[in-house]
């Protein structure tokens, strides 16, 4: 019995004797199957190869970015957020080894794991079992779980308080249950929003964008982008981290509002001089 991991997206599947027939995450319009065909690996094979390590980088006081090198799967980072004695792993990655476990335990361990959307479910059950930490996924995305576990909790509604200073908010967009993590005490009390790619920081890090599918370049409707911007407008945050090592370092809420306006203008055809 082996837990196979999709090489393209990095999501792990339950114990099985045979390879899964396909990856349900990749065979869907928001993701893609590698043109060379479906390929699989296992966490054991990744560990034994000696090719992979996790880099843990302090981004600011109380916030650590965890990234697998070289890139694996989609290449996203996870974040360890230290919130007044309660640590949250925000989003997840596929690779986990003893070195990483020791480093994370030195930082206080993990009290809960929270996910923005299915593309980052990765090896979330491995992480949960290693740190005895419950996983929180919005119920609207529960049917995308590839590896069921008693550690998984499906939450409902528009927000969930993980601790006094760490709150999940459902924004939808990429997926119906798409969520972000608000950390109001971060950034010296100016507030931090961790968004995965529900809100995506772009090349010009003074701006963000919004998509239904990034690899397939499918936009979100204007009304949904407006709803996302209106929701986060009420949250206190001056800094925004995405899952791909990009940061809106200051005036992040204003950047979201301006970016939503630009995006909607583009969809409506009023942005361009053509």
């Amino acid at each position: 019995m082996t837990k196979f991991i999709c090489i393209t997206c990095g999501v792990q599947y339950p114990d099985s004797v045979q390879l899964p027939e396909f990856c349900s995450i990749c065979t869907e319009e928001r993701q893609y199957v590698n043109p060379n065909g479906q390929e699989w690996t296992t966490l054991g094979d990744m560990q034994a190869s000696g090719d992979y390590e996790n880099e843990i980088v302090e981004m600011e006081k109380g916030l650590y970015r965890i990234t697998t090198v070289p890139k694996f799967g989609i290449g996203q980072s996870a974040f360890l957020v230290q919130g007044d004695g309660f640590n949250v792993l925000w989003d997840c990655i596929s690779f986990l080894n003893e070195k990483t476990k020791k480093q994370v335990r030195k930082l206080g361990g993990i009290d809960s794991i929270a996910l923005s959307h299915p593309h980052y479910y990765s090896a979330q059950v491995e992480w949960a079992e290693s740190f005895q930490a419950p996983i929180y996924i919005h119920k609207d995305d529960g049917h995308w779980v590839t590896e069921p576990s008693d550690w998984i909790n499906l939450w409902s509604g528009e927000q969930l308080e993980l601790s006094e200073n760490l709150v999940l908010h459902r924004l939808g967009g990429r997926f119906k249950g798409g969520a972000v993590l608000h950390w109001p005490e971060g950034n010296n009390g100016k507030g931090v929003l961790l968004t995965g790619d529900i809100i995506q920081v772009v090349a010009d890090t003074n701006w963000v964008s919004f998509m239904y599918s990034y690899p397939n370049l499918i936009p979100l409707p204007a009304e949904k982008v407006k709803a996302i911007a209106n929701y986060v407008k009420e949250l206190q945050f001056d800094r925004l981290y995405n899952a791909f090592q990009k940061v809106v370092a200051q005036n992040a809420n204003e950047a979201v509002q301006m970016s939503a306006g630009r995006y909607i203008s583009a969809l409506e055809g009023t942005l361009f001089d053509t």
Side-chain angles (χ1 to χ4, degrees):
M1 300 290 281
T2 304
K3 292 184 177 183
F4 291 100
I5 295 175
C6 173
I7 288 178
T8 301
C9 73
V11 171
Q12 182 170 273
Y13 283 75
D15 273 322
S16 63
V17 176
Q18 297 180 329
L19 290 172
E21 184 178 353
F22 60 88
C23 174
S24 59
I25 299 294
C26 289
T27 52
E28 198 265 343
E29 62 194 5
R30 280 164 284 201
Q31 186 47 20
Y32 62 94
V33 176
N34 190 303
N36 296 323
Q38 181 70 63
E39 296 179 289
W40 302 94
T41 188
T42 68
L43 180 56
D45 286 345
M46 293 177 69
Q47 293 168 340
S49 72
D51 293 337
Y52 296 98
E53 288 290 346
N54 284 333
E55 289 185 346
I56 301 180
V57 179
E58 184 177 19
M59 304 305 297
E60 59 178 81
K61 183 179 179 182
L63 183 68
Y64 295 83
R65 187 181 67 210
I66 308 174
T67 311
T68 301
V69 290
K71 175 187 172 182
F72 180 77
I74 296 172
Q76 79 275 9
S77 296
F79 286 88
L80 183 69
V81 190
Q82 298 173 321
D84 293 334
F86 188 90
N87 288 5
V88 173
L89 182 71
W90 169 244
D91 279 327
C92 204
I93 55 178
S94 307
F95 186 68
L96 179 63
N97 60 4
E98 290 303 318
K99 179 180 177 181
T100 302
K101 293 177 189 178
K102 290 177 182 177
Q103 289 176 302
V104 170
R105 287 183 180 122
K106 285 182 179 179
L107 296 172
I110 297 170
D111 296 297
S112 68
I113 300 170
L115 282 300
S116 64
H117 72 291
H119 290 167
Y120 302 157
Y121 289 176
S122 304
Q124 58 181 354
V125 175
E126 296 288 337
W127 286 79
E129 291 176 348
S130 295
F131 293 95
Q132 301 289 285
I135 298 168
Y136 292 94
I137 291 170
H138 197 278
K139 71 175 184 64
D140 288 341
D141 290 343
H143 61 287
W144 289 104
V145 171
T146 57
E147 184 181 5
S149 170
D150 290 341
W151 289 105
I152 296 174
N153 297 274
L154 301 179
W155 63 280
S156 60
E158 301 307 305
Q159 65 181 57
L160 175 69
E161 186 177 285
L162 298 174
S163 72
E164 185 177 354
N165 293 309
L166 290 165
V167 182
L168 294 173
H169 295 270
R170 188 190 76 86
L171 300 183
R174 298 275 283 117
F175 282 80
K176 188 175 181 181
V180 297
L181 178 63
H182 185 215
W183 180 32
E185 298 303 312
N187 187 21
N188 295 315
K190 296 179 182 178
V192 166
L193 196 67
L194 296 109
T195 62
D197 59 15
I198 302 300
I199 299 174
Q200 179 72 290
V201 185
V202 295
D204 180 347
T205 56
N206 294 306
W207 297 83
V208 301
S209 194
F210 319 81
M211 296 287 276
Y212 180 74
S213 169
Y214 290 98
N216 299 320
L217 301 179
I218 306 173
L220 281 177
E223 284 305 310
K224 186 60 196 178
V225 172
K226 186 181 297 184
I228 289 173
N230 287 340
Y231 188 105
V232 303
K233 188 176 183 179
E234 303 305 315
L235 303 179
Q236 175 200 323
F237 66 97
D238 192 59
R239 185 169 292 161
L240 185 151
Y241 292 88
N242 79 349
F244 296 95
Q245 303 189 28
K246 289 185 179 178
V247 184
V248 181
Q250 58 186 5
N251 302 319
N253 203 326
E254 292 87 341
V256 172
Q257 304 308 314
M258 291 190 300
S259 298
R262 182 174 73 170
Y263 186 101
I264 292 166
S265 295
L267 289 180
E268 293 175 345
T270 60
L271 178 66
F272 309 107
D273 182 15
T274 58

